[in-house]
Amino acid sequence: MQVGATRFADVMVLRPIGRVDHSNAEVFANALTPHVMGCKRGGDALLFDLSQLEYISSAGLRVLMLVSKNVTPNGGKVALAQPQRVVSEILEISRFKYIFPIHATLAAGLAALSADAAAAHAAQS
């Protein structure tokens, strides 16, 4: 389980790769901590690019809930983008689609969170 990170203006895109389950949920949480702390200070947004996430268990979903709980009181936002089919089904079954905005593409997620981030992403592409 790895987490890549790329900043586009005021949005940090986080890309978990592999699987998040009970055996590595704590590692996942620890990898997100610096980004969560950055959002708490600046009110930035976090966009999780789930295109390379193969599976997420309830332990991983709990980590996402804790991220949101720590970011949103300070004006930050959390959204999800590009979930693979299995992950999309898990998000639907767990009703997380009612908790987090879920966008079909990374570009759509960036545009929904920040015009500056969408422009930075378009310039890089």
Side-chain angles (χ1 to χ4, degrees), residues 2-41:
Q2 301 172 352
V3 178
T6 307
R7 176 172 284 283
F8 294 101
D10 56 347
V11 177
M12 180 61 74
V13 175
L14 300 170
R15 291 180 184 87
I17 301 169
R19 299 172 56 92
V20 178
D21 55 31
H22 71 281
S23 69
N24 64 4
E26 188 173 337
V27 172
F28 181 49
N30 290 338
L32 301 179
T33 298
H35 306 294
V36 170
M37 298 309 291
C39 286
K40 288 176 73 169
R41 285 192 300 272

Side-chain angles (χ1 to χ4, degrees), residues 33-119:
T33 298
H35 306 294
V36 170
M37 298 309 291
C39 286
K40 288 176 73 169
R41 285 192 300 272
D44 289 345
L46 292 178
L47 179 60
F48 285 87
D49 176 354
L50 304 180
S51 62
Q52 296 181 47
L53 184 66
E54 299 165 5
Y55 174 79
I56 188 166
S57 73
S58 60
L61 294 174
R62 180 180 181 276
V63 171
L64 292 179
M65 285 296 297
L66 291 173
V67 165
S68 180
K69 185 177 181 178
N70 282 295
V71 170
T72 55
N74 299 299
K77 299 175 188 174
V78 179
L80 312 176
Q82 305 188 114
Q84 290 189 24
R85 187 184 58 79
V86 171
V87 173
S88 183
E89 290 173 5
I90 292 167
L91 294 170
E92 173 121 7
I93 291 167
S94 64
R95 303 181 65 81
F96 267 55
K97 70 178 190 172
Y98 299 111
I99 299 169
F100 295 100
I102 302 174
H103 304 280
T105 66
L106 181 63
L110 288 167
L113 292 170
S114 164
D116 291 340

